[in-house]
Amino acid sequence: MSNGEPIRFDRELDARGLDCPLPILRTKKTLNDMESGQTLQILATDPGSVRDFQAFSRQTGNELLEHAVADGEFRFLLRKK
């Protein structure tokens, strides 16, 4: 965000320690229980998850608002379509 404040999220999914395709599968399941416009934060450790979440966003129409990496941990923010 332009004002430097972190994006708020409605739910968090901890997918750390899970390998492909589990982070995406758990994300799909969690998004099914969310309302349109809500934001999900996903934490993952699988290096392939960056590519996976970019593709998932394109294929499903859920907006990838942000992704970041720190200390081998990946953080994604997805807004449900």
Side-chain angles (χ1 to χ4, degrees):
M1 295 188 120
S2 57
N3 61 6
E5 291 196 20
I7 298 172
R8 288 189 174 328
F9 55 91
D10 300 291
R11 295 199 43 194
E12 181 175 89
L13 172 63
D14 186 351
R16 292 175 289 192
L18 300 177
D19 293 326
C20 180
L22 289 174
I24 292 293
L25 293 175
R26 298 254 171 108
T27 296
K28 285 173 76 168
K29 186 176 189 312
T30 303
L31 285 172
N32 285 339
D33 295 334
M34 294 176 66
E35 301 290 323
S36 179
Q38 286 188 313
T39 303
L40 173 63
Q41 173 171 277
I42 304 108
L43 303 174
T45 50
D46 180 6
S49 62
V50 173
R51 181 185 63 248
D52 293 342
F53 278 100
Q54 289 169 339
F56 176 76
S57 174
R58 277 193 309 273
Q59 292 168 2
T60 63
N62 295 298
E63 184 181 0
L64 183 59
L65 300 172
E66 183 177 296
H67 74 272
V69 62
D71 301 322
E73 195 169 287
F74 302 91
R75 184 173 72 89
F76 305 93
L77 284 168
L78 272 177
R79 179 177 292 132
K80 182 174 178 172
K81 68 173 180 179

